[in-house]
Amino acid sequence: MLDTLTADISLTPSLPPEKQLFLDWQERWSQTARPNQIPQADFSEYGFMAGRGFGKTRIGAEWLGAKAFGTRNTYCAVIAPTYADVKHTCFEGESGLLNVIPEALIKRYNSSDLVLELKSGTSIRGFTSEKPARLRGPQHEFIWCDELAAWQNAEETWDMAMMGLRLGRAPKVVWTTTPRPVELVRKLIVPKAGRVVISGSTFDNKDNLPDRFFEQLEQYEGTTIGRQELYGELIDPEESAVIKRSWLKLWPAKKPLPAFDWIIMSLDTAYTEATRDKKTGDADYTACSVWGVFQHETKGYALLLDCWQEQLGMPDLIKRVKKEMNTAYGDDQDVALIKPMYGSAKPLTSGRKPDILLIEDKGSGISLRQMLEREGILAHAYNPGRADKLARLHVVSPVFARRRVFLPESDKFPGKARVWADPLVAQLCSFTGKGSIKHDDFVDSTTQAMRLMMDKGLLGSLVDKKQEVDKPPPKMIQNPYGQ
């Protein structure tokens, strides 16, 4: 059965040799391919997220090659993680474009510039995620994005490619990847009009792979890497994180705020040259979280009142901190009042403002504290010592495990936290160590706030008295040095 992309070529007895060759090629692929390897529906975006050996490269090459020859005088693109990936996999690989498109349909191939010209007048050009800026000018009608989850500048490359996908009446993109829970992949699997996502496993293509290969795979059966790399399952990064989302409690949207003993504003700062992106020149993010500490039935709790992250230079950061320190939460009658993200437009006459401004005692933080002091704002210095980010998170994890942390409930979506809290929660519940997530600034801001609460005894004991009932009393050891 012929794919719909050949519908514009009429089947007549006197077909030119090239058109007949094209139809023969499509007929062979339609008979060889599995049903889940050929885009079936009308779409603008088609994704294949599957395990190793599924045949993803073949899918992309067959689809793009057929579109390129079946549509005259247009422009197509293939994008892969690196130059080597584009050249040696997408173009010249065993399942690449040069090996699936009949040689007689190819006009020329420039291996240096990665440009493949077909006799239909259409060209296919190769790009890499290493240089997303190269996608700013070119326009395309069809794009194949290979191994999307391994792209270095994933979101910028995707955005540049989509902005250039504007030729023809119905431009389309097909992406193929082994699943990884990166931000771009998670965004592209969300249901949307014109979007189709196909999942598959290595075992779908068992007939075309050697038996010894599958013997080697037995060691990965039941493991996380096996679920991801073989079964094509997108593993939720929160599954293996230190902090579980289920540990976070919701403060009811219609319930007045509690009477806070303390309000802590915690900053993870970044504005120096060392924190700038060398490619874009953009500063790293400064992250802020504001926490209200209150007591209930002899226990201490923390409620997230605000959070934001921005790329700010020194003058703007000082201005922002001064504004946030003048924001009030709650009022004299304990009526819930939360001004998230940007604080109040003008100083409030009621409610409680932050009592403590907490800034990490490092290069950028030290400079910020000194300059704020000149403005009359005193900050508490937090020194994490030699502990890395993951170790710091482990230290404060009991606060979360004991269900001592609240998030404000959404007014519009009962049972869920307010939307502005999502970035902080996502970082906190996905972080498993250096490099595990793109940005971890909220993790630093949160851990230093929780550490201060623990060190100052603001949360009381984190061990339930009920848990201590069954424990034997500690043995008393006499002090040999007297009292």
Side-chain angles (χ1 to χ4, degrees):
M1 180 178 180
L2 296 179
D3 184 70
T4 54
L5 56 83
T6 63
D8 58 336
I9 299 179
S10 56
L11 295 170
T12 63
S14 57
L15 279 176
E18 289 178 0
K19 287 189 177 181
Q20 186 60 58
L21 186 59
F22 172 73
L23 290 175
D24 292 342
W25 163 32
Q26 294 306 292
E27 182 67 24
R28 286 195 302 273
W29 172 236
S30 66
Q31 292 177 354
T32 303
R34 302 186 304 277
N36 62 357
Q37 285 185 296
I38 299 178
Q40 300 291 336
D42 184 27
F43 69 94
S44 56
E45 182 184 310
Y46 214 103
F48 290 88
M49 187 172 63
R52 302 284 187 92
F54 175 83
K56 299 184 295 295
T57 302
R58 181 73 181 273
I59 291 170
E62 291 280 1
W63 176 81
L64 187 62
K67 282 295 187 184
F69 189 84
T71 309
R72 300 186 63 82
N73 303 315
T74 192
Y75 296 92
C76 304
V78 54
I79 309 171
T82 67
Y83 176 89
D85 294 324
V86 179
K87 179 180 173 67
H88 299 298
T89 300
C90 298
F91 276 112
E92 302 174 10
E94 184 179 356
S95 299
L97 290 160
L98 291 172
N99 282 310
V100 302
I101 301 174
E103 187 176 354
L105 304 183
I106 296 175
K107 184 177 180 180
R108 69 173 63 90
Y109 168 59
N110 186 321
S111 61
S112 299
D113 294 336
L114 297 179
V115 177
L116 176 62
E117 297 179 53
L118 303 183
K119 292 184 178 179
S120 62
T122 292
S123 65
I124 302 174
R125 184 178 175 186
F127 296 87
T128 82
S129 66
E130 298 168 308
K131 300 179 179 179
R134 291 190 61 196
L135 284 156
R136 285 186 177 274
Q139 303 178 70
H140 303 105
E141 187 168 354
F142 305 108
I143 299 178
W144 165 31
C145 301
D146 191 43
E147 286 301 341
L148 201 72
W151 284 9
Q152 293 183 24
N153 305 288
E155 296 195 35
E156 184 182 358
T157 302
W158 177 266
D159 290 342
M160 292 298 100
M162 294 306 100
M163 289 178 184
L165 189 64
R166 55 180 185 263
L167 293 182
R169 295 182 179 179
K172 302 179 188 298
V173 58
V174 163
W175 55 267
T176 53
T177 191
T178 303
R180 280 180 59 209
V182 297
E183 292 181 26
L184 179 58
V185 173
R186 296 178 73 178
K187 181 175 72 174
L188 294 181
I189 63 173
V190 175
K192 174 184 172 182
R195 174 181 291 170
V196 181
V197 180
I198 299 295
S199 297
S201 79
T202 302
F203 302 93
D204 292 347
N205 197 29
K206 191 171 184 178
D207 292 342
N208 298 312
L209 297 171
D211 292 338
R212 178 159 294 185
F213 173 67
F214 287 96
E215 291 173 3
Q216 294 292 330
L217 298 184
E218 290 181 1
Q219 61 183 308
Y220 302 109
E221 195 67 39
T223 65
T224 299
I225 191 173
R227 290 167 57 194
Q228 175 177 287
E229 301 292 322
L230 304 179
Y231 288 93
E233 183 179 344
L234 187 64
I235 305 297
D236 189 336
E238 295 185 9
E239 285 190 17
S240 57
V242 176
I243 307 300
K244 310 299 181 186
R245 190 180 289 262
S246 60
W247 293 349
L248 302 170
K249 303 173 72 174
L250 288 179
W251 187 266
K254 296 181 180 180
K255 184 177 181 179
L257 292 181
F260 295 121
D261 298 319
W262 297 90
I263 292 183
I264 301 170
M265 177 178 167
S266 178
L267 276 175
D268 178 65
T269 61
Y271 58 83
T272 64
E273 290 298 323
T275 62
R276 288 184 176 275
D277 187 299
K278 295 181 180 179
K279 294 183 178 179
T280 65
D282 295 332
D284 199 356
Y285 284 101
T286 287
C288 173
S289 60
V290 181
W291 302 87
V293 183
F294 64 97
Q295 299 291 319
H296 178 65
E297 296 181 351
T298 71
K299 294 180 182 178
Y301 295 87
L303 170 61
L304 179 66
L305 297 173
D306 192 2
C307 64
W308 52 265
Q309 58 180 0
E310 289 285 333
Q311 293 172 306
L312 300 172
M314 182 61 146
D316 291 332
L317 181 55
I318 293 175
K319 183 178 179 181
R320 182 67 177 273
V321 171
K322 291 172 66 177
K323 183 178 181 180
E324 295 292 347
M325 287 296 290
N326 207 27
T327 300
Y329 301 90
D331 68 11
D332 298 334
Q333 287 75 42
D334 289 333
V335 177
L337 172 63
I338 298 179
K339 294 288 185 181
M341 299 302 291
Y342 297 105
S344 55
K346 58 182 179 179
L348 301 179
T349 57
S350 62
R352 189 182 188 111
K353 298 176 184 178
D355 301 285
I356 300 175
L357 173 59
L358 184 60
I359 301 177
E360 187 173 344
D361 194 22
K362 63 181 181 182
S364 58
I366 293 172
S367 300
L368 178 62
R369 284 193 293 107
Q370 292 172 344
M371 299 192 76
L372 286 173
E373 188 173 349
R374 296 173 189 171
E375 302 281 339
I377 299 175
L378 298 179
H380 182 87
Y382 167 74
N383 191 333
R386 296 183 178 180
D388 61 19
K389 295 174 186 285
L390 185 58
R392 294 179 227 168
L393 189 59
H394 275 294
V395 169
V396 302
S397 62
V399 179
F400 297 90
R402 298 297 180 190
R403 310 295 203 279
R404 299 292 188 89
V405 179
F406 280 89
L407 304 173
E409 184 184 30
S410 170
D411 291 312
K412 297 181 180 179
F413 306 102
K416 294 186 178 181
R418 297 196 180 196
V419 174
W420 55 262
D422 284 346
L424 182 144
V425 176
Q427 283 191 24
L428 199 62
C429 297
S430 299
F431 184 74
T432 57
K434 184 177 180 180
S436 58
I437 55 178
K438 186 175 182 180
H439 295 291
D440 54 23
D441 312 285
F442 275 135
V443 176
D444 290 335
S445 172
T446 299
T447 53
Q448 66 185 25
M450 295 299 161
R451 184 60 188 267
L452 179 70
M453 296 178 205
M454 294 173 67
D455 291 348
K456 300 298 182 182
L458 304 183
L459 300 175
S461 174
L462 293 176
V463 179
D464 266 335
K465 291 184 178 179
K466 293 180 181 179
Q467 294 176 323
E468 295 181 331
V469 173
D470 298 329
K471 292 183 179 180
K475 294 181 180 179
M476 301 301 293
I477 301 177
Q478 186 176 0
N479 186 348
Y481 301 101
Q483 294 185 349

